[in-house]
Amino acid sequence: GRRRGLRMPESNVEALFVSDPGHSALRPKPTELVSPPRGWPDSFRQNQALKSFIGKGQLKGKKCRLVELPSATVLEAAAGVPFDAYDTESNASRLSSHLGWELIKGFAVLESAHHVGVFVAKWRCWNATDSGLWIDLSPRPDGWEMLVLVQSDVPPPLDATPQVAPKRVRDLPQCQKEKKIIDVSRPDEDDDERAERQAKEALEGTWLAQNQISNSDINGALRQSS
């Protein structure tokens, strides 16, 4: 089963990209945003403002996926890696160093709860496994169990520095030690290395389909719009 993701404090209000110029000064709190945008993924195909915002518009997205909260298997694979409340790039960088997963930069796309059809993009970084599975382990506010992530080369807004100093939330749960089993194919592998490898292999095999939720048409549209 899946565990509840790390919680992000409510006080982090930062600069955003906003789809509607008339709401360019919008700085909603996490509780004032809807994730994913209403009607996703149909809204991407049917709402030209959202499609333009993600594609040819401000974000110039390369890939787009709906990403769930991390599974228990993912949390175990990342055991011991510290995560900050706001600094998603540092979080993804540490996970990349720990497990060798690719660091991906881009945005989380959400919709205003009070202004229907107004979309915002928050700078966010995450990881991709060797098989291409997107993993987002940074803390999320309540209600963001499903998050639309857009890979993009566009830098964050100039004033996107968090208004509150980053805080270390906590280390992820430590992976429980297993009974020692000698793998004759890897005689030099110690217990920790074996546990990490097995967790990664379980992740690759078990959760590969997790982020493949009808993304082919969305990513195809992004390629056509670029």
Side-chain angles (χ1 to χ4, degrees):
R2 292 179 176 78
R3 299 181 186 175
R4 185 179 187 82
L6 298 181
R7 293 186 61 188
M8 178 187 290
E10 292 282 335
S11 56
N12 184 35
V13 178
E14 61 186 63
L16 305 165
F17 284 125
V18 183
S19 64
D20 184 351
H23 293 85
S24 59
L26 193 65
R27 295 295 181 272
K29 296 179 180 179
T31 53
E32 299 172 332
L33 293 170
V34 177
S35 181
R38 296 176 179 90
W40 187 271
D42 291 340
S43 55
F44 176 84
R45 295 185 291 267
Q46 298 169 1
N47 189 312
Q48 188 58 40
L50 177 58
K51 185 174 182 179
S52 176
F53 182 53
I54 292 176
K56 290 183 178 180
Q58 290 167 286
L59 303 188
K60 296 178 172 58
K62 300 167 67 177
K63 292 182 180 179
C64 179
R65 293 182 182 177
L66 185 66
V67 179
E68 300 175 316
L69 286 173
S71 68
T73 305
V74 172
L75 292 175
E76 289 174 1
V81 179
F83 283 80
D84 291 336
Y86 308 126
D87 192 351
T88 64
E89 185 169 359
S90 292
N91 293 342
S93 179
R94 281 192 289 270
L95 195 59
S96 179
S97 297
H98 184 67
L99 292 175
W101 292 346
E102 179 186 359
L103 187 155
I104 299 180
K105 298 180 180 181
F107 298 89
V109 175
L110 309 101
E111 185 174 358
S112 169
H114 304 305
H115 305 282
V116 177
V118 176
F119 306 98
V120 301
K122 294 172 63 73
W123 171 254
R124 196 171 182 90
C125 297
W126 59 96
N127 298 92
T129 68
D130 294 340
S131 64
L133 180 70
W134 282 11
I135 300 294
D136 175 32
L137 267 168
S138 288
R140 302 186 191 184
D142 286 340
W144 292 18
E145 285 75 18
M146 304 290 285
L147 196 59
V148 171
L149 297 178
V150 177
Q151 183 176 0
S152 172
D153 293 330
V154 174
L158 294 178
D159 56 341
T161 303
Q163 302 301 309
V164 180
K167 298 178 182 178
R168 175 169 163 160
V169 179
R170 64 176 173 85
D171 289 351
L172 290 173
Q174 291 290 336
C175 192
Q176 293 183 347
K177 296 291 183 181
E178 302 176 13
K179 294 181 180 179
K180 186 172 183 179
I181 301 175
I182 298 176
D183 184 346
V184 295
S185 66
R186 297 178 174 84
D188 298 327
E189 186 176 61
D190 61 28
D191 287 353
D192 289 339
E193 292 172 336
R194 177 178 52 78
E196 179 177 306
R197 173 180 57 78
Q198 290 178 341
K200 289 176 68 176
E201 289 174 352
L203 169 67
E204 299 291 342
T206 306
W207 301 104
L208 177 59
Q210 172 184 329
N211 291 328
Q212 312 301 322
I213 307 174
S214 301
N215 290 309
S216 58
D217 54 341
I218 295 175
N219 292 320
L222 288 178
R223 286 192 296 270
Q224 293 174 8
S225 65
S226 60

